[in-house]
Amino acid sequence: MLIMFSMIFFSLNIKSWWLAQNFFFFFFFFMYFKIPMFNYFLNISYLFGMDMFSYLMFMLGTWIISLVYISSLNLKNIYLNYFNFLMFIFLIIFYFCFFSNNFIMFYIFYEINLIPVIILIYGWGYQYERFKAGFYLFIYMIFFSLPFFSCLLNLNNSVFMFMYYFDYLNSLNFYYYLFLMMIFLVKMPLFLFHIWLPKAHVEAPICGSMILAGIMLKLGGFGIYHILMLVFKVNLNFNYFLISLCLIGMMVLSLVCFFQSDLKILIAYSSVVHMGLVIIGFLTLNNWGYFGSLILMFGHGLCSSALFCLSNICYLRFKSRSLFLNKGLINIYPFLSFWWFLLCSSNMSFPPSFNLFGELFLLISLMIWLDYFYLLYFLVMILMFLYSLYLYLYTQYGKLFFNMNYLVYINLSEYLLLFMHWVPLNLIFLIMELFC
């Protein structure tokens, strides 16, 4: 914490892009040696604690912010000091959210997280519609935020901690359950409350999309995991409806993906589908679902962030994210096409990607929970495979939109960026015994 707070004061005076990035890499490897090989909650102090879940999510956030600097080289001369300042603010917010022992502190930083994201969209976004996208994001979050806060204040002070007994809140009614859960379900986002996500992704710069997909959606999953301890017995009565809604929503949005012409919107809807799987895993209330959701959140954070980087690489060359213009890329960028194949295959949960293990765990948890729901799950997995294949084939093959002005070579740093997304995504399966 001392390191992070001291860097905030220096960030406004740091004139070097690479110095700031090297700090994040240093911080990542500094935290790496504190890895907890356990899954019970460890108190660091009265206010802070961590388990494997919070540790992995924070490490994912630090890694994504480190890679943001490689992906955003075109922003290098645009308000560099303020950009560095925002990145350090993100790091501190993630630290307080993931390692917080206290519900009130978690809630405060969970909501403060909105401010730097909106500043990123407004300040470094591409089009005028970014103001509308930021407004959508703000309204969706704040609308469900105040009922959650009022519920927290109505509850006894003893439940403000994350460590408590399940039997404490047996008598909560449906409205408490709804208000306590919706703030996190909207952030995930749940189907029917997902409209803000494609808009925010389309208008955000690449750094905003990476942070949104890579780590902000994971805050919602982290909150659901902890709030389910509070509403454990009430959830047994209502999780049937939410799981049914998630499965139906995933099928609908998977079909919607086939009708998208914008690369970013297609990848954003893919994120909503994956997050629906995560919600299902938590709501089944068993260990397979818990570990499956944790694995899928980690894998999706890397995979989705890398796909947004790929769409940005194409956007910088063709000045468009349209699928009708980004065609035939295998003819001019064959090695980039190889990376499209690797990451689209990871998105469709092809072995040995981390997503595969998460989806298998979630399949088992759903079969344990209710025997015939796994048929719908199989259908969703087939649709996820098909729209990832559609994304790959439609961009790499077909008639090339030929314009010599846009035929710029791919930088080595961009290949490095994709490599640093892909390696952890496909090699962490070697330590799967931690999750089994």
Side-chain angles (χ1 to χ4, degrees), residues 11 21 27 40 45 49 51 70 75 91-92 94 143 148 201 244 266 271 283 320 333 335 342 350 392 420 427:
S11 63
Q21 189 213 17
F27 194 80
Y40 53 85
S45 68
D51 56 4
I70 306 179
L75 304 178
L91 189 67
I92 286 181
F94 294 150
F143 184 79
F148 175 85
H201 274 305
S244 305
L266 199 157
S271 292
L283 293 180
S320 170
Y333 301 129
F335 196 49
L342 287 179
F350 202 76
Y392 173 72
M420 293 172 80
L427 292 185

Side-chain angles (χ1 to χ4, degrees), residues 8 28 43 63 77 149 163 196 210 218 227 306 320 330 340 370 376 399:
I8 279 196
F28 174 84
N43 280 336
W63 187 247
N77 299 318
F149 187 57
M163 306 298 291
W196 64 269
M210 287 174 69
K218 313 303 176 283
I227 210 71
S320 170
I330 198 170
W340 271 104
L370 197 61
L376 288 174
K399 189 175 181 181

Side-chain angles (χ1 to χ4, degrees), residues 95-158:
Y95 187 92
F96 275 84
C97 281
F98 289 126
F99 293 152
S100 176
N101 238 359
N102 182 290
F103 252 128
I104 291 293
M105 183 188 293
F106 172 74
Y107 165 77
I108 289 169
F109 283 93
Y110 182 87
E111 293 303 327
I112 286 176
N113 189 35
L114 277 179
I115 298 171
V117 171
I118 291 176
I119 291 173
L120 266 183
I121 294 174
Y122 281 5
W124 286 269
Y126 295 124
Q127 298 157 356
Y128 182 74
E129 283 80 9
R130 66 183 184 273
F131 299 107
K132 184 178 179 182
F135 181 73
Y136 265 63
L137 173 63
F138 183 77
I139 290 300
Y140 267 85
M141 298 303 163
I142 293 301
F143 184 79
F144 293 100
S145 167
L146 298 178
F148 175 85
F149 187 57
S150 63
C151 286
L152 275 189
L153 294 181
N154 283 333
L155 298 174
N156 195 310
N157 289 333
S158 61

Side-chain angles (χ1 to χ4, degrees), residues 198-376:
K199 288 184 177 294
H201 274 305
V202 167
E203 304 304 331
I206 179 59
C207 50
S209 291
M210 287 174 69
I211 290 172
L212 267 173
I215 195 65
M216 249 192 75
L217 303 187
K218 313 303 176 283
L219 283 172
F222 184 74
I224 287 176
Y225 165 62
H226 284 295
I227 210 71
L228 277 177
M229 294 182 182
L230 267 179
V231 294
F232 186 81
K233 293 196 173 179
V234 191
N235 182 65
L236 294 174
N237 299 322
F238 300 113
N239 59 359
Y240 187 92
F241 302 105
L242 279 178
I243 290 178
S244 305
L245 178 62
C246 284
L247 284 167
I248 293 168
M250 287 191 304
M251 285 191 291
V252 171
L253 292 178
S254 298
L255 293 172
V256 166
C257 286
F258 291 104
F259 296 94
Q260 298 306 318
S261 60
D262 190 309
L263 284 173
K264 263 196 169 182
I265 295 182
L266 199 157
I267 300 166
Y269 276 122
S270 169
S271 292
V272 181
V273 174
H274 280 93
M275 288 298 106
L277 293 177
V278 172
I279 295 172
I280 288 173
F282 284 128
L283 293 180
T284 52
L285 298 174
N286 58 45
N287 272 341
W288 286 98
Y290 161 68
F291 283 113
S293 296
L294 171 58
I295 292 168
L296 191 61
M297 283 165 70
F298 193 85
H300 169 265
L302 292 166
C303 183
S304 187
S305 173
L307 284 172
F308 279 116
C309 290
L310 277 170
S311 70
N312 184 63
I313 290 170
C314 295
Y315 175 75
L316 293 176
R317 271 75 190 171
F318 289 87
K319 305 303 179 196
S320 170
R321 292 187 302 267
S322 171
L323 275 171
F324 303 113
L325 299 183
N326 289 280
K327 290 177 70 68
L329 298 182
I330 198 170
N331 297 308
I332 48 175
Y333 301 129
F335 196 49
L336 188 68
S337 180
F338 170 69
W339 283 107
W340 271 104
F341 168 74
L342 287 179
L343 291 164
C344 285
S345 62
S346 295
N347 197 48
M348 63 176 76
S349 301
F350 202 76
S353 81
F354 211 39
N355 291 352
L356 171 72
F357 298 97
E359 292 194 12
L360 288 177
F361 277 41
L362 292 173
L363 173 63
I364 294 169
S365 77
L366 199 57
M367 292 174 72
I368 293 169
W369 186 74
L370 197 61
D371 50 1
Y372 58 85
F373 261 39
Y374 70 91
L375 297 173
L376 288 174

